[in-house]
Amino acid sequence: MMHQHALRVLLGVGGGIAAYKSVDLVRRLKERGCEVRVVMTKAATGFVTPLTFQAVSGHPVRTTLLDPAAEAGMDHIELARWAERLLIAPATADLMARLAAGIADDLLTTLALATEAKLTLAPAMNQVMWRHPATQANLETLRGRGACILGPGEGQQACGEVGPGRMLEPLEIAEALRASAARPLAGVPVLLTAGPTREPLDPVRFLGNRSSGRMGYALAEALTELGAEVALVTGPTALPPPGVSELIRVESALEMHAAVMARAAGCGIFVGTAAVADYRPVAPARSKIKKDAEELTLGLVRNPDILAEVAALSPAPFSVGFAAETDHVIEYARGKLEKKRLSMIAANHVGGERGGFERAENALTVLWDGGSRALPMMSKAQLARELAALIADRYKEHHAAST
Ligand code: CTP
């Protein structure tokens, strides 16, 4: 599906012989409806002149950070905000090392830190440099942070060697970038719950859980990237608010339930990532409980199952649940899928050495009626992107079947 507007691509050209191919890459991107602005490293200007890129992109090309004339136009922070994609081609070994380390010693690496645009890299280097453990470790770091790596290809290299390290052809890079920018959920209203809930015991105390909200926030952002209009109902978290259409802050499961049910009827997709407390204190004390008694017994009652209630609506949105299991992961998750009549469930193996609430990485097994997909251990940001793409695919099929 095509983008509604021109995709704003900031092309960073690194200092490798493949830089000459990036001239054609600008043309290929423009043919595919992208608006392209070019930034070159100092080394890149040794291979191709800025004037060449200015001519093909139709915009001035920037090469240095502290250029008063250029800063008076679109300054580097504006440029960082302008970009929807940061595409670095060719990405040299040195550039990848600086990106992985978070070094900002020139314009391009500074922009890479200052932008929230998704990073795509098209590496190009000698095959021995590519295979070097340092380069491979940097690659893993960047990939783990959600960068998309295109290539490199195998074949004859400029240095005369044969092996992996050749930059992909401009056409392949442009196509891949375009495909990754498709917005399959354009305009689809999505309701998502995230974070823990707090069940009040008295005015100062609550029963809570260890959910960080990270997976839910990352998923809210990934669904937004696919064009969805996301309303996020969140319990208390320490995270910065994600860029969504609507953010609703709640504390208890009952508040979350009310916020969700008020919005569920109109949504196309519901995703329950929240760790909703299954029970709440029967009646929270009006004033602070004093430590008079030697023993204190808490009476708890069941909370409504928000996800099950949404999935039972008629018509029900495409409903996605999460299941954290310590064992019999697939079996238990499939049981929940059926019992709660969900469209999809993402099962999370918790306990032991693997994934879970307080970690930056996770792995999921996603199940639906008649299928499944294992998403291996990766950063929560990357995992969220893969899960969002899977939700979009299944939602479209489900939608097509029901209309
Ligand atoms: N959920 C919900 N409302 C609740 C409880 C859970 O919406 N009151 C949602 C969660 O957001 C998650 C899924 O349901 O998507 C988790 O299902 P659940 O059966 O509650 O999982 P567990 O608590 O792990 O179940 P059990 O303790 O029975 O294994």
Side-chain angles (χ1 to χ4, degrees):
M1 180 184 280
M2 287 299 280
H3 228 54
Q4 305 298 311
H5 68 286
L7 181 72
R8 299 187 301 269
V9 180
L10 182 60
L11 173 64
V13 183
I17 181 66
Y20 80 91
K21 290 195 198 172
S22 300
V23 177
D24 190 39
L25 175 58
V26 176
R27 293 184 37 236
R28 300 296 183 190
L29 289 166
K30 287 179 72 175
E31 279 167 13
R32 278 156 192 77
C34 301
E35 194 183 337
V36 185
R37 285 180 181 259
V38 180
V39 162
M40 301 174 75
T41 62
K42 187 161 180 293
T45 62
F47 292 92
V48 184
T49 68
L51 198 60
T52 308
F53 280 108
Q54 178 172 320
V56 289
S57 70
H59 293 286
V61 171
R62 295 204 46 183
T63 56
T64 53
L65 182 56
L66 302 168
D67 175 343
E71 286 288 300
M74 191 190 269
D75 72 32
H76 71 279
I77 296 296
E78 279 174 83
L79 198 54
R81 288 200 192 114
W82 171 87
E84 291 175 284
R85 286 287 186 285
L86 174 57
L87 169 62
I88 301 188
T92 59
D94 170 68
L95 202 41
M96 282 173 40
R98 286 188 289 143
L99 292 168
I103 292 171
D105 61 353
D106 64 3
L107 177 63
L108 180 53
T109 49
T110 303
L111 284 166
L113 282 188
T115 190
E116 285 179 322
K118 184 174 157 73
L119 176 63
T120 302
L121 299 171
M125 68 197 70
N126 165 278
Q127 51 125 354
V128 182
M129 290 174 87
W130 171 255
R131 289 203 179 104
H132 196 287
T135 303
Q136 290 300 313
N138 292 331
L139 187 72
E140 276 323 299
T141 302
L142 292 165
R143 199 178 262 141
R145 280 183 209 145
C148 168
I149 316 291
L150 302 175
E154 296 235 5
Q156 187 78 34
Q157 299 201 290
C159 51
E161 293 179 19
V162 178
R166 235 174 53 162
M167 188 167 97
L168 290 189
E169 292 309 316
L171 189 60
E172 290 174 90
I173 298 173
E175 288 282 339
L177 192 91
R178 224 21 186 127
S180 78
R183 298 197 165 198
L185 295 179
V188 176
V190 172
L191 186 60
L192 193 141
T193 64
T197 62
R198 287 179 177 177
E199 307 304 314
L201 280 165
D202 69 13
V204 297
R205 302 182 180 95
F206 59 82
L207 295 178
N209 63 67
R210 292 185 188 279
S211 166
S212 67
R214 252 195 238 144
M215 190 63 214
Y217 280 37
L219 193 56
E221 281 189 335
L223 290 163
T224 301
E225 272 177 22
L226 298 185
E229 313 259 329
V230 178
L232 171 64
V233 180
T234 177
T237 71
L239 303 172
V244 290
S245 303
E246 196 191 357
L247 183 72
I248 306 106
R249 293 183 191 278
V250 298
E251 294 226 337
S252 66
L254 286 182
E255 285 169 18
M256 187 173 275
H257 177 256
V260 166
M261 297 322 290
R263 291 167 177 81
C267 70
I269 301 175
F270 175 77
V271 190
T273 74
V276 186
D278 290 323
Y279 296 90
R280 66 176 181 277
V282 181
R286 292 231 180 108
S287 45
K288 193 178 162 204
I289 301 168
K290 301 306 263 178
K291 52 176 174 308
D292 300 327
E294 268 316 304
E295 243 178 59
L296 187 65
T297 308
L298 287 177
L300 301 174
V301 284
R302 274 292 282 273
N303 272 324
D305 189 321
I306 302 170
L307 176 62
E309 239 176 85
V310 171
L313 290 173
S314 181
F318 184 87
S319 303
V320 184
F322 271 70
E325 311 286 354
T326 50
D327 40 22
H328 305 290
V329 181
I330 308 290
E331 191 187 327
Y332 286 161
R334 203 164 272 290
K336 282 178 194 172
L337 179 78
E338 283 160 19
K339 184 155 162 266
K340 297 198 192 190
R341 297 171 56 200
L342 305 178
S343 319
M344 186 183 251
I345 194 158
N348 184 359
H349 194 290
V350 290
E353 287 299 292
R354 306 186 51 187
F357 277 180
E358 288 173 306
R359 304 191 35 160
E361 288 201 318
N362 206 355
L364 293 171
T365 304
V366 188
L367 309 171
W368 58 89
D369 186 13
S372 71
R373 169 95 57 90
L375 302 177
M377 189 64 74
M378 59 186 115
S379 76
K380 285 187 177 174
Q382 185 61 11
L383 193 62
R385 286 205 176 103
E386 304 235 347
L387 181 57
L390 199 51
I391 291 174
D393 278 357
R394 300 301 315 159
Y395 167 72
K396 297 230 121 179
E397 253 181 55
H398 172 91
H399 208 61
S402 62
T403 50

